[in-house]
Amino acid sequence: MISRPQSALTCIEMTDHIQQSFHEIDVPFLCMIADEDVVVDNSISEMFMTKSPSKDKTMKSYAALHGLLCEPSPLLEVIEADLAQWLLSRCP
């Protein structure tokens, strides 16, 4: 069984790896950020948008706290609709 500290460490290691690989990420991606987030540093998301060579990158910002998919209605529906539209617009 994985402990909470191990899970947190894995998340930190994963974000460090992604941050070091920004310049290699050239697949389409959607970056959704919460304006009022105190857990995640949104400037890193902006750096990701700048440094990634991807030609298909989208950033969406919401007046929300950390957990975008845990926001109350009606904001949750807006977030879900944006996510679905982004995905569907890239399906053949």
Side-chain angles (χ1 to χ4, degrees):
M1 179 172 218
I2 296 177
S3 69
R4 289 182 179 155
Q6 284 175 313
S7 295
L9 179 59
T10 299
C11 289
I12 291 169
E13 289 170 346
M14 181 181 67
T15 56
D16 284 343
H17 175 73
I18 291 170
Q19 188 172 349
Q20 292 171 10
S21 303
F22 281 170
H23 65 281
E24 300 171 5
I25 299 173
D26 64 355
V27 297
F29 66 86
L30 170 63
C31 185
M32 302 172 88
I33 62 172
D35 288 339
E36 301 168 31
D37 199 331
V38 294
V39 175
V40 176
D41 182 354
N42 286 335
S43 69
I44 302 300
S45 300
E46 294 165 6
M47 185 188 324
F48 184 34
M49 295 295 291
T50 303
K51 291 193 173 191
S52 168
S54 175
K55 301 292 185 226
D56 184 0
K57 50 190 173 183
T58 304
M59 180 181 279
K60 293 276 188 173
S61 178
Y62 303 91
L65 299 174
H66 177 68
L68 289 179
L69 295 177
C70 298
E71 288 295 320
S73 294
L75 182 56
L76 177 59
E77 286 79 14
V78 171
I79 293 167
E80 289 173 338
D82 287 348
L83 177 57
Q85 183 216 14
W86 189 87
L87 290 169
L88 291 171
S89 70
R90 282 150 183 85
C91 291

